[in-house]
């Protein structure tokens, strides 16, 4: 994989953004941009969990339906889901129909409901690296770091599921806790 791709618009981006318009929009507007708020981070955690073993573009394309069926990731609503809701979601082709992942989102919502307002945000951001050197090449981008492992360990200790170290590093990248836009990408230079 080359490190950069130049889009039809003449903009140089990280190569993973490719030529897909939705991927380019996500790269340009979301990935690596600081994201705060318990509810938004709960959504990000949930979607990253659903992504495990799949391509992110699959989740991105299904995100509107995920938002719809999980009531915009309102933890109070999702925490109240029961067995009938799980079965309803298992029949919905608009999302990833994985029982363990669906049940994890519901369980994680219940855990978030028991946390103080702003606690998830503060917890997650407390693991953001103090110093992070943006990568020069795609080969320098890690999949796991000491910080993502520590965040995963703490979330698991609190009972959260589908929050492994690789999944948490992906969250750290997408939520702007680290900036992994490679050198030469317009976002790395912005």
């Amino acid at each position: 994989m080359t490190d950069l791709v130049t889009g039809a618009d003449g903009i140089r981006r990280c190569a993973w953004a490719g030529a897909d318009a939705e991927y380019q929009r996500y790269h340009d507007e979301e990935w690596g941009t600081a994201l705060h708020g318990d509810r938004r981070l709960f959504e990000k955690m949930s979607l990253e969990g659903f992504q495990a073993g799949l391509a992110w573009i699959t989740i991105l394309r299904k995100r509107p339906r995920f938002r719809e069926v999980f009531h915009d990731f309102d933890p109070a609503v999702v925490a109240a889901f029961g067995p009938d809701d799980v079965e309803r979601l298992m029949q919905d082709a608009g999302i990833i129909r994985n029982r363990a992942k669906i049940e994890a989102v519901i369980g994680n919502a219940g855990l978030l409901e028991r946390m103080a307002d702003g606690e998830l945000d503060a917890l997650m951001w407390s693991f953001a690296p103090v110093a992070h050197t943006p990568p020069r090449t795609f080969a320098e981008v890690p999949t796991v770091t000491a910080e993502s492992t520590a965040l995963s360990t703490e979330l698991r200790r609190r009972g959260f599921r589908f929050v492994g170290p690789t999944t948490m590093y992906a969250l750290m990248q997408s939520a702007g806790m680290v900036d992994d836009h490679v050198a030469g990408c317009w976002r790395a230079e912005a």
Side-chain angles (χ1 to χ4, degrees), residues 6-177:
T6 301
D9 54 8
I11 297 174
R12 288 172 43 141
R13 295 177 176 88
C14 298
W16 61 261
D20 183 278
E22 180 61 13
Y23 237 5
Q24 288 178 353
R25 186 213 54 78
Y26 177 74
H27 171 275
D28 293 354
E29 299 173 13
E30 293 184 57
W31 195 75
T33 301
L35 178 69
H36 285 282
D38 290 347
R39 190 167 172 170
R40 293 293 62 130
L41 288 168
F42 170 60
E43 174 184 352
K44 188 69 74 173
M45 178 194 315
S46 300
L47 293 177
E48 294 289 356
F50 274 108
Q51 187 269 331
L54 302 170
W56 180 248
I57 192 67
T58 302
I59 303 304
L60 201 54
R61 289 182 178 142
K62 291 179 178 278
R63 183 167 63 173
R65 184 65 181 155
F66 274 113
R67 286 176 170 166
E68 186 177 341
V69 301
F70 284 106
H71 300 269
D72 201 29
F73 291 90
D74 181 335
V77 175
V78 176
F81 281 10
D84 289 345
D85 296 296
V86 172
E87 292 310 315
R88 174 180 49 81
L89 293 169
M90 286 296 295
Q91 301 307 311
D92 194 323
I95 66 168
I96 304 302
R97 294 177 288 181
N98 179 300
R99 184 176 303 276
K101 292 177 181 183
I102 291 168
E103 290 175 346
V105 171
I106 296 167
N108 291 349
L111 295 169
L112 179 54
E113 273 297 281
R114 292 191 287 280
M115 295 172 78
D117 186 43
E119 187 176 350
L120 181 65
D121 185 299
L123 172 69
M124 287 188 163
W125 277 90
S126 74
F127 289 93
V130 175
H132 177 74
T133 303
R136 292 178 313 237
T137 66
F138 187 73
E140 292 179 8
V141 178
T143 57
V144 174
T145 63
E147 293 88 357
S148 73
T149 301
L151 173 57
S152 171
T153 300
E154 179 56 23
L155 288 170
R156 286 177 177 175
R157 186 189 71 75
R158 292 172 180 237
F160 287 90
R161 294 181 292 161
F162 279 91
V163 292
T166 301
T167 300
M168 288 302 94
Y169 192 71
L171 181 146
M172 293 173 100
Q173 291 173 306
S174 64
M177 295 173 195

